[in-house]
Amino acid sequence: MKSFKAYLTGFIFSIVLTVIAFGLLHFHIKSGHVVPPHELMVPLLILLAVAQLFIQLVFFLHLGQEEKPRWNSVAFAFAAFVVLVIVGGSLWIMNNIDHGQNDLSEIYPTGEITPQGQDD
Amino acid sequence: MPAHAGENVTFGFWVYLMSDCVLFAALFATYAVLQGATFGGPTAYDLFDLPFVFVETMLLLTSSFTMGLAVIAAREARVGKTWPSGPERRLLLLLAVTLFLGLAFLGMEVYEFWHLIAAGEGPTRSAFLSAFFTLVGTHGLHVALGAIWMCVVGAHIWFNGITTGAVRKLTILSLFWHFLDVIWICIFTFVYLFGGLAL
């Protein structure tokens, strides 16, 4: 019966967190992207997602509840690290890729690719 | 089978799930990078219907819960003996409910995809839509495989009863099903809710 309680707790928490996340966005859009403030929405939604992931991993996937040595948790930690490198690294590099390029608008201020003032 | 074999099978499957995490991470990274590359086409904000996604999420969350209940029902049954039909029937009923919810989720997703493609907003429209269809489609494919697997395990229990092997199969299947739920949480947050923010 103990595990039934765990599943029920996990289920109720995940439903509540989902309703909060969708509800927040609903009010945000209804209020014309003002309430809750636009810059606050991203951290809020990420926080809700992380809480939700934590609930699911603990109550449904029983992470960290196995006997020692905790190989499941070790494998999970490694996977989490790889996921962080892939997603974080991709975003970091792709968002900074412009910095390595020559700024074409400085070379061709009129926006034309063909250089001006050349003899035919 | 040796006593520890069951644990080893479960751990091996767990390692597979972790590698699947990495697969999804690559798809999420692709989506995050290409999100703005709409090529003059519709953005995430234009396309996604939030109440529709909310219902999809509820279906999958509930199916995860009923799957957990099925595992409990299997563990409660006396393993390796002849059973009264009680726990077996309860287990099969819970599996059927889980399957139904999973298929309903899948049906909604297929409807969404079909709707987008019919409106000319298929994966060929823009890099954003290619990334979207790949990410959400891969998750959908996993759910479809899980549904087939559930039928196989259900048939196994139907014909052979709740044996030790059946409990192990069900445990692994439940890990897979909960894992898909975890991936879906990331999808509905980073694809649909962030899309609704119109970043």
Side-chain angles (χ1 to χ4, degrees), chain B residues 48-64:
Chain B
F48 303 146
D49 180 8
L50 287 176
F52 188 86
V53 180
F54 180 74
V55 174
E56 262 184 302
T57 306
M58 285 300 151
L59 286 174
L60 208 61
L61 278 176
T62 313
S63 84
S64 208

Side-chain angles (χ1 to χ4, degrees), chain A residues 4 7-8 11 15 18 22 25 29 38 41 49 52-53 56 60-61 63 71-72 76 86-87 90-91 94, chain B residues 11 14 18 22 25 29 32-33 50 54 58 61-62 65 68-69 72 175 178 181-182 185 188-189 193 196-197:
Chain A
F4 173 73
Y7 277 111
L8 192 65
F11 181 57
I15 291 281
T18 309
F22 275 89
L25 186 65
I29 292 174
H38 202 67
M41 280 304 284
Q52 174 95 279
L53 290 180
Q56 299 255 335
F60 287 175
L61 286 165
L63 190 72
W71 292 119
N72 281 23
F76 174 77
I86 292 176
V87 177
S90 300
L91 283 174
M94 294 313 282
Chain B
F11 177 63
W14 180 262
M18 293 304 107
V22 175
V33 167
L50 287 176
F54 180 74
M58 285 300 151
L61 278 176
T62 313
F65 179 57
L69 295 186
I72 293 172
L175 283 180
H178 295 319
D181 213 26
V182 169
I185 287 160
F188 91 66
T189 303
L193 294 185
L197 279 180

Side-chain angles (χ1 to χ4, degrees), chain B residues 150-162:
Chain B
M150 213 178 288
C151 294
V152 174
V153 173
H156 183 88
I157 291 167
W158 179 275
F159 290 114
N160 301 334
I162 310 173

Side-chain angles (χ1 to χ4, degrees), chain B residues 107-129:
Chain B
M108 286 183 80
E109 196 165 288
V110 168
Y111 173 80
E112 188 195 19
F113 278 15
W114 175 77
H115 207 69
L116 285 174
I117 292 168
E121 281 139 11
T124 53
R125 182 64 188 85
S126 63
F128 150 64
L129 280 166

